[in-house]
Amino acid sequence: MGKANPLRILFVEDLPSDAELAKREIQKSGLRFESQRVDTKDAFLKALEEFRPDVIVSDYLMPEFDGMQALKLSLEHDASVPFIVFTGSMNEDTAVACMKAGATDYIVKEHITLLPFAVNEGLVHKKARLVQQEAERTLRASEERLRFVSETTGVVLYRLKYEDMKYDYLSPGIKVLTGYSADEINTLGFGILIQKTETNQGSRVSVDDLRKRREGGFGGDLHSDHLLSTKTGESKWVRDHSFPWRDAAGVIIGSVGILQDVTESKAAEENLRKLSSAIEMTADSVVITNKDGIIEYVNPAFEKLTGHTRESVLGKTPRILKSGLQGLAYYQEMWATILSGSVFHSEVVNKNKKGELFHETKTISPIFDADGTITHFVAIGEDITEKKLLEQQILRSQRMESLGTLASGVAHDLNNILAPVLLSVEILKNSAKDENSKKTLETLE
């Protein structure tokens, strides 16, 4: 590993001997450093730019320059660099003036042994200031990011004190969300805007219940949805995600959190709930598969029709219903249709768990994602088994009726043909003389 860069000390001193004494005293403390000495304004400004000192040790009075000018220029260039006034005269008013002007320390030359301590203390303070400045920059950047998120996304950031139930911070988005300013919210009380509150488990609670739960020591994050009445009378669903706010002793004294308008997502959830309920309650069987035909969902009507339970078919394919009455061409046409993005309609004969056949009208539709890619298929089937049996019964009845009509027509035609014959037999029988002839004619009748 390479050695760290040595400390750079700039001496502003018109007497080389005094500068040398100061160097030796600091070196005795064990500090490794490089140094330069200047005694004019121009040389001082050049050293600030090129030498870039970590510490400045400056005399107060010099023929062509003085410590107060050097201090002013140093602060303008880089206020974090420790500036130690090192002078031969002791004047309390001068020391106070230097310290008020921004000097790090004030050392009298006759107390030169204090100089190393002043240098070290100045470096410690410099490091602390740099850490603080970095923390402040980080905080400002974080606040700016939060402000940007709040102002551009509609998210509201807040901090709520339980002692008086007042917000000591509400981001500007509260005006957009509710129509009320932060001051108006604190005057009215946020609770007056709430029509009802639901937790993420769907149960209804009051805002006081949530606060009491937090004050009771619950240290996790809380999720709840509030239905608000805005200043214009509009109803909005707002999601509240809060975290505990603790004091220095670790006691929960309030909440910090985020409020977000979820009205549209709640409406979408409600529509999804209605759709899900409709699918569960419909009399038609519904099967949802992935793109490869693996079953991911079936509704109760499917279970009733096929005899298969939902648990038993998940992860399988609809081939479990195959009756064998549809040929290969049927399935090739089906897959070609739905993979092209079109809807497939057909009548199909399937087989239930008991091995019994049933008839369905089947509609299979592709489901697309936001990019238009097919991700799933949904098949809706209507049981038409009874309809098919009724059609067969009607067909048989029509056939029997046709046969009856045909038989009646044939009989009528035979009667027309046989009537003259029977009449002739009757005449012959009446004119017959012997018994044998009469019996023969009676047989013909």
Side-chain angles (χ1 to χ4, degrees):
M1 294 179 61
K3 294 182 178 179
N5 292 329
L7 189 69
R8 295 184 298 274
I9 300 178
L10 178 62
F11 292 97
V12 185
E13 175 64 68
D14 61 319
L15 298 176
S17 58
D18 284 359
E20 188 63 30
L21 286 172
K23 283 173 59 177
R24 289 178 183 176
E25 192 64 34
I26 296 171
Q27 286 171 340
K28 284 194 296 184
S29 70
L31 279 177
R32 293 175 58 251
F33 63 91
E34 297 175 350
S35 66
Q36 278 190 15
R37 184 186 67 83
V38 297
D39 58 3
T40 65
K41 178 179 177 181
D42 290 342
F44 179 72
L45 290 174
K46 183 178 180 181
L48 290 179
E49 291 292 340
E50 298 179 1
F51 183 60
R52 300 191 308 279
D54 297 305
V55 180
I56 298 172
V57 178
S58 175
D59 196 358
Y60 183 72
L61 292 174
M62 292 171 284
E64 299 183 27
F65 199 31
D66 65 64
M68 292 300 281
Q69 291 184 59
L71 174 60
K72 183 175 183 296
L73 293 172
S74 176
L75 292 173
E76 291 175 353
H77 183 265
D78 185 352
S80 69
V81 176
F83 191 98
I84 300 168
V85 177
F86 184 57
T87 182
S89 60
M90 182 176 181
N91 184 307
E92 186 175 336
D93 291 338
T94 302
V96 170
C98 289
M99 298 299 287
K100 284 185 176 180
T104 307
D105 210 339
Y106 184 94
I107 304 295
V108 179
K109 289 182 179 179
E110 67 182 52
H111 298 147
I112 192 172
T113 55
L114 297 177
L115 184 58
F117 299 101
V119 170
N120 277 310
E121 188 175 355
L123 291 172
V124 170
H125 284 305
K126 177 183 179 181
K127 184 176 181 180
R129 280 198 299 272
L130 291 175
V131 170
Q132 182 180 359
Q133 289 171 1
E134 180 60 28
E136 289 173 351
R137 280 195 296 270
T138 302
L139 179 61
R140 284 194 298 271
S142 178
E143 290 175 344
E144 186 61 32
R145 286 194 296 270
L146 289 175
R147 187 179 298 108
F148 175 79
V149 170
S150 175
E151 293 176 356
T152 59
T153 65
V155 172
V156 176
L157 311 176
Y158 71 83
R159 188 165 65 181
L160 174 67
K161 295 183 295 182
Y162 289 156
E163 181 182 3
D164 55 7
M165 291 304 290
K166 301 289 186 184
Y167 293 91
D168 71 346
Y169 178 75
L170 267 174
S171 61
I174 193 68
K175 181 82 172 179
V176 177
L177 184 63
T178 67
Y180 295 97
S181 67
D183 289 340
E184 289 174 317
I185 291 290
N186 273 330
T187 300
L188 294 171
F190 189 73
I192 201 170
L193 310 182
I194 299 175
Q195 301 176 30
K196 62 180 179 181
T197 296
E198 297 177 352
T199 65
N200 56 339
Q201 286 82 29
S203 59
R204 293 190 180 182
V205 296
S206 69
V207 176
D208 283 342
D209 291 334
L210 295 175
R211 177 177 59 81
K212 289 175 182 176
R213 186 180 177 194
R214 182 72 80 195
E215 289 180 325
F218 180 73
D221 55 330
L222 289 174
H223 298 260
S224 55
D225 291 341
H226 308 299
L227 182 61
L228 303 183
S229 294
T230 68
K231 195 171 188 178
T232 61
E234 179 185 4
S235 292
K236 285 185 179 180
W237 277 104
V238 174
R239 183 150 296 158
D240 184 356
H241 187 184
S242 67
F243 304 85
W245 173 22
R246 302 176 186 272
D247 63 12
V251 177
I252 296 175
I253 59 172
S255 296
V256 293
I258 299 169
L259 299 174
Q260 186 174 12
D261 187 350
V262 292
T263 305
E264 290 186 3
S265 63
K266 290 286 279 190
E269 288 173 8
E270 178 62 16
N271 289 335
L272 185 60
R273 185 195 65 78
K274 291 177 182 177
L275 177 60
S276 177
S277 178
I279 292 174
E280 286 283 302
M281 298 301 294
T282 183
D284 294 336
S285 70
V286 178
V287 180
I288 298 177
T289 74
N290 65 14
K291 190 177 179 181
D292 297 322
I294 304 300
I295 296 173
E296 295 184 358
Y297 169 83
V298 296
N299 71 342
F302 172 90
E303 296 178 298
K304 181 179 179 182
L305 177 63
T306 68
H308 293 283
T309 63
R310 180 177 299 178
E311 292 75 16
S312 68
V313 300
L314 295 181
K316 298 180 180 179
T317 71
R319 281 194 294 270
I320 59 174
L321 306 176
K322 194 173 181 180
S323 67
L325 298 180
Q326 286 77 227
L328 179 62
Y330 170 87
Y331 294 104
Q332 288 176 335
E333 180 187 358
M334 179 194 75
W335 279 108
T337 301
I338 60 178
L339 286 174
S340 71
S342 300
V343 179
F344 180 75
H345 301 279
S346 71
E347 285 190 9
V348 63
V349 180
N350 281 327
K351 185 168 59 177
N352 66 20
K353 188 176 182 180
K354 294 180 179 179
E356 299 167 341
L357 299 180
F358 62 92
H359 295 257
E360 280 186 296
T361 56
K362 185 74 72 175
T363 300
I364 307 176
S365 305
I367 299 174
F368 303 89
D369 64 13
D371 297 326
T373 302
I374 295 174
T375 60
H376 293 79
F377 299 106
V378 56
I380 301 174
E382 179 187 359
D383 182 9
I384 58 171
T385 305
E386 291 186 4
K387 178 182 176 183
K388 284 292 185 181
L389 291 175
L390 181 60
E391 288 177 353
Q392 291 173 4
Q393 289 175 358
I394 292 173
L395 183 59
R396 282 196 297 270
S397 176
Q398 288 174 340
R399 286 176 179 173
M400 292 301 295
E401 184 178 347
S402 297
L403 288 174
T405 302
L406 177 61
S408 176
V410 170
H412 180 267
D413 292 341
L414 285 174
N415 284 335
N416 290 338
I417 295 171
L418 291 174
V421 175
L422 292 174
L423 180 60
S424 298
V425 170
E426 182 65 23
I427 293 172
L428 290 173
K429 187 176 71 170
N430 290 335
S431 61
K433 301 297 185 182
D434 58 275
E435 289 300 321
N436 289 333
S437 297
K438 287 182 179 181
K439 288 181 179 181
T440 300
L441 291 171
E442 286 175 355
T443 302
L444 290 173
E445 289 181 326

